[in-house]
Amino acid sequence: QQQVKQSPQSLIVQKGGISIINCAYENTAFDYFPWYQQFPGKGPALLIAIRPDVSEKKEGRFTISFNKSAKQFSLHIMDSQPGDSATYFCAASMPQAGTALIFGKGTTLSVSS
Amino acid sequence: NAGVMQNPRHLVRRRGQEARLRCSPMKGHSHVYWYRQLPEEGLKFMVYLQKENIIDESGMPKERFSAEFPKEGPSILRIQQVVRGDSAAYFCASSRTSGRYQETQYFGPGTRLLVL
């Protein structure tokens, strides 16, 4: 019940295309859903995060869509660029301060020019 | 405004040796988390600490691993008698003192541990 399942494992998108990464969770007590971006040899960096009181959050070219009833959330990257090539992790946590993030296994995105 | 700092960035140890990984949280942050990342895997939570207290160590292996966050100085993750299976990237994250709700966790660059 603590798992977060992420798909696809890898993704190749043409420059200018839309990248879509999906995650599903089981624990209905999860209340905070961040996405992290990680470049090789670096630590994960927060990209965007959502709480279940909204169904969508947009920041620049990045959008999170959240479906509470289906227990699913997704990351959309519009107008994908070669610089977006990285590994993306979804995560979930309980609402209380100081709780662990439960991560998906990651999606390696390659944007071809 | 420095981010989360970790050192060393790379650490090579032989089986049976000890590994000490250090983490300095962002300025103003008093919550520290340690995660481990195995190849082709996501990050797995190990332990959550506040100054001088271990709050949640549910992800920490019961033996050989310990963590501390003293009143002064960095947080330290200590692995005794390392084995090859300990080879991984270890990430520290920090968040600020918060009220009731989850705050953003900011990650350091990680320490890549290789056990020969």
Side-chain angles (χ1 to χ4, degrees):
Chain A
Q1 204 176 22
Q2 289 293 317
Q3 278 190 324
V4 174
K5 295 183 179 180
Q6 183 171 348
S7 63
Q9 187 175 352
S10 61
L11 183 60
I12 299 174
V13 172
Q14 294 268 12
K15 180 181 175 182
I18 302 173
S19 304
I20 302 173
I21 305 171
N22 301 299
C23 284
Y25 63 98
E26 291 294 324
N27 191 338
T28 54
F30 286 153
D31 185 70
Y32 173 69
F33 303 91
W35 285 89
Y36 282 83
Q37 179 188 56
Q38 185 179 29
F39 293 102
K42 305 292 186 183
L46 179 69
L47 199 58
I48 186 172
I50 197 169
R51 296 187 192 275
D53 52 343
V54 295
S55 59
E56 186 175 281
K57 183 174 181 180
K58 184 176 181 179
E59 289 185 4
R61 296 185 293 111
F62 301 92
T63 300
I64 298 181
S65 297
F66 186 82
N67 186 330
K68 189 174 181 178
S69 61
K71 292 184 286 185
Q72 294 175 348
F73 58 110
S74 60
L75 176 69
H76 291 62
I77 306 174
M78 312 299 287
D79 186 27
S80 299
Q81 298 297 312
D84 297 330
S85 298
T87 300
Y88 293 81
F89 293 96
C90 63
S93 79
M94 309 287 272
Q96 299 89 346
T99 54
L101 293 173
I102 310 300
F103 282 87
K105 290 194 174 184
T107 297
T108 301
L109 171 65
S110 295
V111 180
S112 59
S113 53
Chain B
N1 185 16
V4 178
M5 299 176 69
Q6 289 187 250
N7 66 81
R9 295 291 307 276
H10 299 274
L11 183 61
V12 179
R13 285 287 179 267
R14 297 193 179 279
R15 281 178 296 168
Q17 291 185 321
E18 178 180 286
R20 282 188 177 230
L21 287 61
R22 294 174 184 78
C23 168
S24 296
M26 286 178 69
K27 187 176 180 180
H29 287 194
S30 60
H31 298 214
V32 166
Y33 312 77
W34 285 93
Y35 293 82
R36 176 164 63 176
Q37 185 177 34
L38 295 168
E40 310 301 324
E41 293 283 329
L43 289 85
K44 302 286 188 189
F45 167 77
M46 299 181 73
V47 62
Y48 160 52
L49 311 99
Q50 295 179 21
K51 284 284 187 182
E52 300 185 278
N53 286 301
I54 296 174
I55 306 302
D56 178 2
E57 56 182 346
S58 59
M60 193 96 97
K62 293 287 186 284
E63 297 182 353
R64 302 187 298 107
F65 285 72
S66 62
E68 62 177 12
F69 189 15
K71 187 176 180 181
E72 301 291 337
S75 175
I76 295 175
L77 180 67
R78 183 183 178 202
I79 311 172
Q80 294 179 290
Q81 299 173 356
V82 296
V83 302
R84 288 208 174 119
D86 297 332
S87 296
Y90 291 82
F91 291 96
C92 168
S94 73
S95 67
R96 61 182 182 180
T97 305
S98 61
R100 289 180 58 194
Y101 298 108
Q102 180 66 285
E103 294 276 351
T104 299
Q105 294 184 23
Y106 295 89
F107 283 80
T111 294
R112 273 96 185 146
L113 172 65
L114 175 63
V115 180
L116 301 177

